[in-house]
Amino acid sequence: MPRTDPKEIDRVPLETDWIDPAAVRPLAPQEFEQIRQLAYRTFGLDLKPGKEELVSARLRRLVGGGHFRSFQEYYRHVMADSTGEALARMIDALATNHTAFMREPDHFDFLRQQVLPTLAARDSLEVWSAACSTGEEVWTLACLLNDALPSRTFRVAASDISNKALRFAAQAVYPVERCHGVPAEWLSRYFVAETRPPKSYRISPRIRTQAAFRRINLVERFSWHRRFPVIFCRNVMIYFDRQTQERVVEHLADCLEPGGYLFVGHAESLTRVSHSLEYVRPAVYRKSEERKGIWIKSS
């Protein structure tokens, strides 16, 4: 009989009480459909037919590690867990956390050259990295803000649905091969080598204090204490269907101040999505300043 304590999934089992993932029964069509619907309902992930192998590969270790002999048993456990921890671990396993320092660099060039000069007179500044994954975007933004506005106080608010990704991002230690896109001057100024020669780099303590991490599910309503002049939400909406994309963009627009900018991934287009934002350039949108005062705060 499988154990139902969600903490069992997180611990490393002994060889004597571990079910070999290879011994788990193959993912059946009805099991895939149950997991697909659960993923869509809870965090908007649109697992279309053909993703069965991906789901099986990403969840099989959780199934075996949790002493379940089938995906059906595992699904029932997730549904029965009132703490939500089993569901959170399933989300961690299914979420795609691919990112990189300086990813899609023209966004950062536009931010530096066109957006930040209009914000330079502010004493403090806060931008939001939504769907921040393992944090490379967060620290890229922090380094850029330190370069562009060295005398200003600022913060990067960072969020993701994956607790695992958030823990990695907050730890802020990256293998050297993941830092190849970082400018040399940033490595010397904002990073600390863990060894000599470096095998990994840690974000410097001063830079780490400039970011705050929070778990947010973008398909649900969420609130912040303020509006943002800049929101980065890149390469996550490609996993949503159009209806979910519209809901997410609406939530993000609510969190933009009038005149604020939303950056999405270059693989994402809002052309077919109903929204209230103005097109600026590919993958960059702006909230109209004329609509100041009529935006409804998220609850």
Side-chain angles (χ1 to χ4, degrees), residues 23 35 41 67 111 135 216 235 257 269 272 274 279 283 286 298:
I35 292 169
R41 288 197 310 270
H67 314 281
L111 179 65
I216 285 181
N235 303 301
E257 64 181 45
S269 171
R272 298 183 179 181
S274 176
Y279 173 85
R286 193 181 188 204
S298 304

Side-chain angles (χ1 to χ4, degrees), residues 67-226:
H67 314 281
F68 305 104
R69 296 189 179 276
S70 71
F71 287 89
Q72 182 65 46
E73 288 184 356
Y74 170 68
Y75 172 80
R76 289 172 180 163
H77 162 70
V78 173
M79 295 298 292
D81 174 26
S82 61
T83 70
E85 293 180 15
L87 177 61
R89 290 183 180 89
M90 190 194 82
I91 291 171
D92 282 348
L94 291 177
T96 299
N97 294 314
H98 173 71
T99 186
F101 287 102
M102 299 297 295
R103 188 180 186 185
E104 300 179 350
D106 59 305
H107 276 164
F108 299 107
D109 291 339
F110 181 79
L111 179 65
R112 180 195 294 268
Q113 297 165 12
Q114 303 295 325
V115 180
L116 292 183
T118 68
L119 304 173
R122 301 189 182 192
D123 292 330
S124 63
L125 177 66
E126 186 171 8
V127 303
W128 179 20
S129 171
C132 71
S133 187
T134 48
E136 287 90 335
E137 179 179 273
V138 177
W139 306 121
T140 299
L141 286 168
C143 292
L144 187 153
L145 288 167
N146 274 279
D147 270 6
L149 304 171
S151 61
R152 297 292 184 268
T153 299
F154 57 82
R155 187 176 82 148
V156 180
S159 70
D160 200 89
I161 194 172
S162 169
N163 287 317
K164 182 179 179 181
L166 288 170
R167 286 193 296 268
F168 190 99
Q171 187 180 19
V173 178
Y174 299 90
V176 66
E177 59 269 17
R178 291 176 67 168
C179 300
H180 287 162
V182 180
E185 60 270 25
W186 282 11
L187 282 177
S188 61
R189 195 180 307 155
Y190 304 128
F191 291 67
V192 178
E194 293 281 271
T195 59
R196 296 291 181 185
K199 294 183 179 179
S200 61
Y201 287 95
R202 181 185 296 274
I203 304 298
S204 70
R206 181 175 69 86
I207 301 300
R208 288 168 67 191
T209 64
Q210 296 170 339
F213 297 89
R214 171 184 171 187
R215 185 182 183 275
I216 285 181
N217 185 346
L218 291 174
V219 305
E220 298 175 348
R221 278 286 174 180
F222 45 82
S223 63
W224 288 98
H225 65 285
R226 58 165 297 167

